[in-house]
């Protein structure tokens, strides 16, 4: 109907000067007329030009105020000359009218709000009562911008801009009635043999097809995969018979993945085996999630537990220990692991047992005893009782790596970290001395976040202390360099995300999965 009206009018007239007035004359929705004009203009049946003059009309709220008066006028008229209680006044007017009207009427000094009663401060006059009401009542149905410029500010807030219209003329392909073009050649067309007379719609070879629905990887999964395939390639160092450092001459010994399938861990493996004292703040309930059921572990290696107890209480291996009474019941408590270093402690203990009882001297690569160098890594979830903010979560993923060999130094650790993070696309690194109960020396790792415009801590690193390694049964000249980093924070840096809750958790926008890059080139 709208298309016939437009084409039919142009057949007898040169131009539709204003689509808005045309729609009003024909009794057709202006939006419907605009849609038809755009369609006809696309096929060059008409030439349409925007009408730049802005038009304004009263909003629904403005219409209501034009009829009943502004909120302050309605409120003032609801207050009788003898006054009224607040409760009764609230019953007489709408809540929105009461809220807005009170503020404006008090500002205009029309009423006085007592503790219990509301009273008038001015006398009622006919002109005063309909002051704003008349302004809106005689406001034109539509007006242009130059008219609005002279309107009172209170009235202007009750106006809404009307959508611009079009002026329309005949186009180069104008016809009084548009033919319906076919989009498909059907079986019926072939059977009736009328396909020769049918006008088909032209193909637009530049048009985009329907988006293909397919599965997409979350940025964390991509970073997870990169963490597995981009383990450091810095060569392990061994000690030759003459105690000089020699690399493995290009032989890249692969990292072995540690089993991290137990979210629940005992305090012994999570803390005590790491030479972390039982009075350490990290072992408090406000930092760690302890289990109610089962609350304690069932079994621990008793001989190893005894050595750990001794080094905590009185020291050994060149250490004075902590000098306190170590309690078995604290070590037995179950918790949600706070780091995957608990898994590292299990693996190193197992490695020490294998070295002592499972290998011959000829099988090991180190001349100092039955020991085989190892590289371990893990990527899995850990839990901390932390306040959630834009860079912290109570549940996140932890990447951990360690190299166990003879003659390792802090320089090797720094080189490994530079190699590891450069392969993830992070070359801006800083290291800061730190304290950890189970590493000495220790370093915090920082990377520059372009989105936050600051250095962000992404992990910790260091060399495991003798008080941790020697009770396990590892040889004295074996060192372990280790590092642990959050998976979320490097991913935030790589993908320009400035709030960790947008990356992991229940508030994640699933469209993020489709918007992020398929891959990162040049790493």
């Amino acid at each position: 109907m709208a298309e016939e009206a437009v084409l039919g009018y142009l057949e007898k007239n040169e131009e539709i000067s204003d689509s808005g007035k045309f729609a009003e004359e024909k009794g057709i929705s202006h939006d419907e007329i605009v849609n038809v004009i755009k369609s006809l203009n696309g096929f060059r049946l008409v030439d349409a030009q925007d009408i730049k003059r802005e038009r304004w009309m009263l909003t629904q709220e403005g219409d209501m105020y034009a009829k009943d008066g502004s909120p302050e006028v309605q409120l003032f008229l609801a207050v009788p000359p003898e006054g009224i209680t607040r409760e009764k006044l609230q019953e007489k007017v709408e809540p929105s009218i009461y809220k807005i009207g009170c503020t404006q009427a008090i500002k205009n000094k029309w009423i006085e709000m007592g503790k219990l009663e509301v009273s008038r401060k001015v006398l009622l006059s006919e002109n005063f009562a309909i002051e704003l009401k008349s302004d809106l009542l005689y406001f034109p149905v539509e007006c242009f911008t130059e008219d609005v410029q002279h309107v009172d500010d209170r009235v202007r807030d009750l106006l809404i801009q009307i959508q611009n219209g079009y002026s329309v003329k005949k186009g180069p392909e104008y016809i009084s009635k548009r033919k319906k073009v076919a989009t498909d050649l059907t079986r019926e067309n072939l059977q009736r043999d009328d396909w020769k007379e049918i006008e088909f719609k032209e193909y637009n070879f530049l048009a985009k097809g329907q988006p293909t629905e397919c599965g997409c990887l979350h940025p964390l999964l991509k970073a997870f995969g990169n963490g597995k395939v981009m383990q450091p390639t810095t060569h392990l160092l061994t000690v030759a018979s003459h105690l000089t450092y020699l690399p493995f001459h290009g032989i890249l010994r692969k990292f072995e993945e540690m089993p991290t399938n137990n979210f629940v861990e005992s305090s012994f493996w999570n803390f005590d085996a790491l030479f972390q004292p039982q009075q350490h703040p990290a072992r408090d309930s406000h930092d760690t999630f302890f289990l109610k059921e089962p609350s304690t572990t069932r079994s621990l290696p008793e001989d190893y537990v005894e050595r750990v107890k001794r080094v905590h209480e009185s020291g050994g291996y060149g250490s004075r220990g902590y000098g306190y009474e170590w309690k078995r019941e604290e070590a037995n408590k179950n918790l949600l692991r706070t780091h995957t270093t608990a898994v590292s402690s299990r693996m190193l203990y197992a490695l020490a047992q294998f070295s002592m009882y499972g290998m011959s001297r000829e099988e090991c690569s180190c001349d100092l005893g039955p020991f085989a160098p190892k590289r371990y890594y893990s990527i899995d979830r850990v839990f901390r009782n932390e306040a959630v903010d834009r860079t912290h979560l109570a549940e996140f993923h932890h990447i951990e790596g360690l190299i166990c060999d003879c003659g390792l130094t802090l320089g090797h650790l720094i080189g490994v970290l530079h190699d590891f993070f450069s392969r993830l696309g992070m070359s801006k690194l800083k290291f800061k001395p730190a304290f950890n109960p189970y590493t000495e020396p220790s370093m915090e790792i920082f990377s520059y976040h372009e989105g936050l415009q600051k250095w962000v801590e992404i992990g910790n690193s260091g060399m495991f202390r003798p008080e941790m390694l020697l009770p396990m049964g590892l040889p004295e000249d074996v060192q372990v360099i280790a590092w642990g980093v959050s998976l979320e924070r490097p991913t935030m840096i790589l993908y320009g995300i400035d709030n960790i809750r947008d990356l992991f958790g229940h508030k994640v926008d699933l469209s993020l999965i489709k918007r992020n890059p398929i891959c990162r080139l040049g790493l």
Side-chain angles (χ1 to χ4, degrees):
M1 179 178 177
E3 182 175 316
E4 294 173 356
V6 171
L7 294 177
Y9 185 88
L10 290 176
E11 186 178 9
K12 300 176 183 179
N13 303 274
E14 291 186 1
E15 180 184 16
I16 298 174
S17 59
D18 188 333
S19 60
K21 292 181 179 179
F22 178 78
E24 188 176 346
E25 291 172 1
K26 299 296 182 179
I28 304 173
S29 165
H30 185 236
D31 290 337
E32 187 177 352
I33 291 291
V34 167
N35 290 335
V36 166
I37 291 173
K38 289 179 179 179
S39 174
L40 295 174
N41 186 63
F43 287 97
R44 303 184 67 191
L45 272 68
V46 300
D47 286 334
Q49 299 293 329
D50 290 337
I51 298 175
K52 298 299 182 183
R53 295 185 69 193
E54 296 176 339
R55 297 180 297 159
W56 300 78
M57 66 181 295
L58 287 173
T59 62
Q60 184 178 359
E61 185 181 14
D63 285 332
M64 182 182 69
Y65 293 166
K67 179 182 177 182
D68 302 324
S70 66
E72 58 268 30
V73 169
Q74 292 185 53
L75 185 84
F76 181 82
L77 295 176
V79 178
E82 65 274 13
I84 189 173
T85 63
R86 290 193 180 195
E87 291 77 11
K88 289 184 178 180
L89 181 60
Q90 288 178 344
E91 293 174 0
K92 291 182 69 174
V93 297
E94 296 289 335
S96 59
I97 297 296
Y98 180 84
K99 183 177 180 181
I100 300 172
C102 279
T103 303
Q104 195 62 38
I106 293 172
K107 183 179 178 181
N108 295 342
K109 298 182 179 180
W110 293 354
I111 62 171
E112 183 176 357
M113 299 287 289
K115 290 184 177 180
L116 300 175
E117 194 173 74
V118 182
S119 59
R120 294 180 179 179
K121 294 183 68 175
V122 296
L123 296 176
L124 177 63
S125 67
E126 184 178 354
N127 292 333
F128 167 73
I130 61 173
E131 176 186 357
L132 180 60
K133 180 178 178 181
S134 62
D135 288 345
L136 296 176
L137 188 60
Y138 298 108
F139 189 83
V141 176
E142 294 184 8
C143 68
F144 296 104
T145 300
E146 53 266 29
D147 302 319
V148 175
Q149 292 174 353
H150 305 291
V151 173
D152 187 275
D153 288 341
R154 294 177 298 171
V155 176
R156 191 180 308 209
D157 292 338
L158 301 174
L159 300 179
I160 186 172
Q161 184 178 359
I162 304 175
Q163 180 182 3
N164 289 342
Y166 292 92
S167 63
V168 186
K169 294 181 179 180
K170 294 178 181 179
E173 305 292 335
Y174 172 79
I175 51 176
S176 60
K177 187 174 182 180
R178 179 163 51 165
K179 289 183 180 180
K180 186 176 181 181
V181 293
T183 56
D184 295 303
L185 180 62
T186 66
R187 177 184 177 185
E188 289 74 17
N189 297 142
L190 296 173
Q191 288 175 341
R192 292 194 302 262
D193 201 29
D194 61 358
W195 59 272
K196 297 177 183 179
E197 288 76 29
I198 295 176
E199 184 177 345
F200 290 95
K201 183 178 179 181
E202 293 183 2
Y203 279 103
N204 181 3
F205 293 100
L206 299 179
K208 294 182 178 180
Q210 289 290 334
T212 303
E213 292 294 332
C214 60
C216 302
L217 286 178
H218 191 283
L220 275 179
L221 289 178
K222 295 177 184 178
F224 186 96
N226 288 343
K228 283 193 173 185
V229 301
M230 293 186 179
Q231 290 298 328
T233 58
T234 304
H235 307 318
L236 288 175
L237 299 179
T238 60
V239 180
S241 56
H242 55 292
L243 299 181
T244 57
Y245 299 140
L246 295 174
F248 279 140
H249 300 296
I251 300 174
L252 304 181
R253 183 169 295 181
K254 293 182 178 180
F255 278 68
E256 297 179 30
E257 185 172 5
M258 295 185 283
T260 55
N261 52 328
N262 290 335
F263 288 172
V264 176
E265 191 58 87
S266 69
S267 294
F268 177 79
W269 293 109
N270 197 83
F271 294 125
D272 295 274
L274 303 181
F275 195 55
Q276 189 160 328
Q278 294 183 338
Q279 300 84 8
H280 195 278
R283 302 180 70 151
D284 292 341
S285 59
H286 63 266
D287 285 322
T288 301
F289 294 109
F290 288 94
L291 266 67
K292 289 184 177 179
E293 185 66 34
S295 60
T296 58
T297 187
R298 293 180 178 179
S299 62
L300 292 172
E302 295 300 330
D303 56 338
Y304 177 46
V305 170
E306 196 59 37
R307 293 194 296 272
V308 169
K309 175 184 177 181
R310 186 165 56 249
V311 77
H312 274 252
E313 290 183 339
S314 56
Y317 316 102
S319 170
R320 293 183 299 176
Y322 292 114
Y324 72 97
E325 183 183 354
W326 187 86
K327 297 180 180 180
R328 177 65 180 266
E329 53 268 24
E330 285 293 326
N332 286 344
K333 289 181 179 179
N334 283 334
L335 48 81
L336 292 178
R337 65 182 179 213
T338 61
H339 48 196
T340 51
T341 314
V343 182
S344 300
S345 64
R346 285 181 176 271
M347 295 300 294
L348 289 173
Y349 174 73
L351 176 63
Q353 303 310 298
F354 184 74
S355 298
M356 287 190 293
Y357 307 113
M359 291 185 64
S360 66
R361 192 176 188 85
E362 290 75 18
E363 292 178 289
C364 65
S365 61
C366 181
D367 290 341
L368 299 178
F371 169 76
K374 287 287 185 180
R375 289 178 171 186
Y376 291 124
Y377 83 94
S378 66
I379 307 176
D380 213 332
R381 201 168 297 185
V382 296
F383 309 87
R384 304 211 181 145
N385 194 0
E386 292 186 346
V388 176
D389 57 30
R390 65 190 306 166
T391 57
H392 293 85
L393 289 174
E395 176 184 357
F396 57 96
H397 294 83
H398 197 229
I399 305 175
E400 179 147 344
L402 65 90
I403 300 175
C404 182
D405 203 347
C406 304
L408 294 176
T409 67
L410 190 66
H412 299 134
L413 175 61
I414 294 175
V416 167
L417 293 175
H418 273 294
D419 184 29
F420 177 75
F421 285 105
S422 66
R423 291 170 179 272
L424 291 175
M426 288 181 284
S427 55
K428 293 183 179 180
L429 294 182
K430 276 186 178 181
F431 303 101
K432 173 183 170 184
F435 170 77
N436 283 317
Y438 46 91
T439 57
E440 180 62 37
S442 306
M443 300 185 303
E444 291 176 345
I445 310 167
F446 291 82
S447 181
Y448 191 74
H449 192 301
E450 298 291 347
L452 297 176
Q453 294 291 304
K454 67 176 184 179
W455 291 90
V456 177
E457 182 186 352
I458 56 175
N460 250 304
S461 64
M463 301 185 68
F464 284 147
R465 297 175 66 107
E467 296 96 324
M468 171 186 168
L469 300 178
L470 296 180
M472 295 177 175
L474 290 170
E476 291 185 6
D477 285 348
V478 169
Q479 288 81 36
V480 178
I481 57 175
W483 61 96
V485 301
S486 160
L487 179 64
E488 282 77 5
R489 289 187 184 176
T491 306
M492 289 172 63
I493 295 172
L494 290 173
Y495 289 89
I497 299 171
D498 59 6
N499 193 325
I500 195 171
R501 289 167 289 193
D502 294 335
L503 181 67
F504 182 66
H506 66 284
K507 294 185 177 180
V508 171
D509 180 5
L510 293 181
S511 62
L512 166 74
I513 302 174
K514 294 187 177 182
R515 291 197 312 266
N516 71 80
I518 294 176
C519 62
R520 301 184 59 83
L521 303 177
L523 299 183

